[in-house]
Amino acid sequence: MVFGGNRPAPDVTSAQFMADPYGAYAVLRAEFPLAWNEPTNSYLLSRFEDVERALKDPAFTNRNYEWQAEPVHGRTIIQMDGREHSTKRALVSPSFRGRELFERFLPVIERNADELMERIPAAGPFDLVDTFATRLPINVIVDILGLPQRDHDLFHGWYSAIVAFVSNLVGDPAVTAAGVRAKEELAAYLLPVVAARRESPGDDLISTLCAAEVDGVAMTDEEIKAFASLLLTAGGETTDKAITVVVRNLLDHPDQLAAVGADPSLIDRALVETLRFSPVVQMVMRQPSVDIEMTGGTVPANSTVICLLASANRDESRFERPDEFDLHRPEIDGERGFTAAASHTAFGLGRHFCVGAHLARAEVGVSVRKLLAVGSPRYAPGFTPQDTGAFVRAPSELVLELS
């Protein structure tokens, strides 16, 4: 056990942590910059400089994904390193940036958002999570993959089970079994689709990946299936919660909501500040290949390290007034915040920066803009949002009214 004071370090699996993770993060940063967490068999890193190093230093590998994610996705770019990683990333990343993103994906996002906005009542309460946020990202992804939206509930069930597997900090066997079943069912669904697109390609992303080639290297059917699985889960779960949390943060700060309503170009800054202030993905894991000296002690080779992204983003040494939501703060940038040079850690940093960052940016931007265009949102009478989750955190409901 690594101690920094006269009390044990906060436990990231405890009920107290679930109720107030940011209070626990502050204690960890101040007293336990390197802490051993027995229930997860992991070391905790909580300060920005240490989390940043773990995300950027090649000595901190992604081998943890061999047991954390590969059993439910197959082998994906998130666990690759070196030339293998750079080559496979080069095969998929062009579709998620620049002209390709805006020409192919933005019309799909706009159309799906318009269809879902029709479900929102002009009068009376509605749950933004159930009505809109959980549906838009998955609908967009199945559209760009060329899959039928009638199977939305299947996809949602699969990605929920897979995300639960990846977030299973205490190794609940029922969660593990459900995640493995979801992987098998999703593979049985997707692999025949990939084979069919090789024979008869269309204008969808699966067909694009079937044809992609870099330096004579192409993706196998299994790799395309694994990437589609990763996109469905990571892109669906995190973006639907990001929509919810951005809206919640703006509602909690009416002056900033009014500023965004008057100038929609501020939506990007609102999202970047949300990624800093209350990131959906609160933590990620790494595995060092050698013993590494960090603040507070030594991290042994091949141990598991939990990088507390949300704690790093509230580090007092990095941000002024870190516990305040302020989309105007000088430390953030509405453009750079979606790149590997971001001042926050929510998309990761360095070579494994999230390939879908700009897709998430586009989906959140369209969602907030369209919501504000139909009325002024406010919490329904008597409703108070409550965040849930440790690994991935957001309100499970956001009951609103429009005026």
Side-chain angles (χ1 to χ4, degrees):
M1 179 77 71
V2 179
F3 289 99
N6 296 320
R7 52 178 169 169
D11 175 10
V12 295
T13 68
S14 68
Q16 294 89 340
F17 177 85
M18 299 292 184
D20 180 22
Y22 291 99
Y25 294 148
V27 173
L28 286 165
R29 288 194 305 274
E31 301 181 35
F32 308 93
L34 178 66
W36 173 252
N37 185 246
E38 189 69 34
T40 62
N41 197 34
S42 304
Y43 288 88
L44 307 179
L45 297 179
S46 52
R47 294 184 181 177
F48 190 98
E49 64 176 350
D50 294 321
V51 170
E52 180 182 40
R53 181 180 175 190
L55 295 177
K56 289 184 173 181
D57 188 337
F60 284 89
T61 75
N62 283 19
R63 291 178 192 151
N64 53 286
Y65 288 123
E66 292 175 4
W67 52 265
Q68 189 187 11
E70 187 172 346
V72 285
H73 287 307
R75 185 171 171 78
T76 68
I77 58 172
I78 63 171
Q79 67 192 88
M80 298 175 185
D81 285 306
R83 182 172 177 79
E84 180 188 28
H85 172 259
S86 60
T87 300
K88 295 300 171 62
R89 187 179 175 99
L91 288 167
V92 302
S93 60
S95 295
F96 294 90
R97 63 178 186 236
R99 187 178 66 183
E100 181 80 3
L101 172 67
F102 287 96
E103 289 185 355
R104 174 181 283 189
F105 294 167
L106 193 58
V108 176
I109 297 169
E110 294 273 0
R111 173 171 52 77
N112 278 283
D114 285 337
E115 291 173 359
L116 290 171
M117 288 302 299
E118 294 177 0
R119 299 162 54 98
I120 294 178
F126 65 97
D127 178 11
L128 184 71
V129 174
D130 180 64
T131 304
F132 187 94
T134 61
R135 298 179 179 276
L136 178 69
I138 198 73
N139 286 358
V140 168
I141 291 167
V142 300
D143 265 7
I144 65 179
L145 290 173
L147 304 174
Q149 281 200 3
R150 66 175 179 270
D151 292 334
H152 174 278
D153 289 342
L154 275 177
F155 297 125
H156 194 278
W158 288 329
Y159 92 58
S160 296
I162 290 172
V163 168
F165 180 103
V166 174
S167 308
N168 190 14
L169 293 175
V170 295
D172 184 324
V175 172
T176 298
V180 172
R181 281 197 306 273
K183 182 240 184 158
E184 293 169 349
E185 292 171 5
L186 183 56
Y189 182 104
L190 284 175
L191 284 171
V193 174
V194 175
R197 301 290 164 80
R198 286 202 189 276
E199 292 295 321
S200 181
D203 60 359
D204 55 275
L205 181 60
I206 290 177
S207 297
T208 298
L209 296 178
C210 286
E213 185 176 305
V214 172
D215 297 332
V217 176
M219 297 180 75
T220 66
D221 287 12
E222 176 62 29
E223 287 172 335
I224 294 171
K225 182 275 298 178
F227 181 76
S229 173
L230 180 66
L231 181 61
L232 282 164
T233 53
E237 177 80 358
T238 59
T239 305
D240 78 45
K241 287 178 167 53
I243 294 168
T244 302
V245 177
V246 169
V247 172
R248 189 274 310 279
N249 285 342
L250 290 173
L251 289 172
D252 287 347
H253 300 84
D255 57 327
Q256 297 182 61
L257 174 63
V260 169
D263 181 5
S265 71
L266 292 174
I267 294 173
D268 279 348
R269 291 189 65 89
L271 174 54
V272 174
E273 175 65 348
T274 290
L275 294 169
R276 183 204 68 81
F277 178 75
S278 50
V280 169
V281 179
Q282 297 263 303
M283 57 189 77
V284 297
M285 295 181 181
R286 291 293 186 266
Q287 186 173 316
S289 57
V290 296
D291 292 356
I292 297 181
E293 290 295 323
M294 304 295 289
T295 306
T298 302
V299 178
N302 301 315
S303 58
T304 300
V305 173
I306 297 180
C307 303
L308 299 172
L309 306 180
S311 176
N313 287 342
R314 298 279 189 106
D315 192 326
E316 302 83 351
S317 70
R318 186 77 177 198
F319 301 98
E320 293 187 11
R321 301 171 290 105
D323 295 324
E324 296 179 21
F325 179 84
D326 180 8
L327 63 83
H328 301 292
R329 69 171 54 247
E331 300 101 324
I332 66 171
D333 185 308
E335 190 63 40
R336 195 178 65 180
F338 302 98
T339 72
S343 59
H344 61 82
T345 63
F347 286 131
L349 296 170
R351 65 199 183 284
H352 283 286
F353 184 81
C354 177
V355 72
H358 284 285
L359 177 60
R361 174 190 189 181
E363 289 180 289
V364 173
V366 168
S367 300
V368 175
R369 174 169 52 81
K370 289 186 181 295
L371 179 64
L372 296 182
V374 298
S376 299
R378 61 176 181 268
Y379 294 133
F383 175 77
T384 301
Q386 298 291 328
D387 282 357
T388 59
F391 200 96
V392 179
R393 188 170 178 86
S396 57
E397 294 180 304
L398 203 65
V399 184
L400 309 179
E401 292 181 341
L402 296 175
S403 61

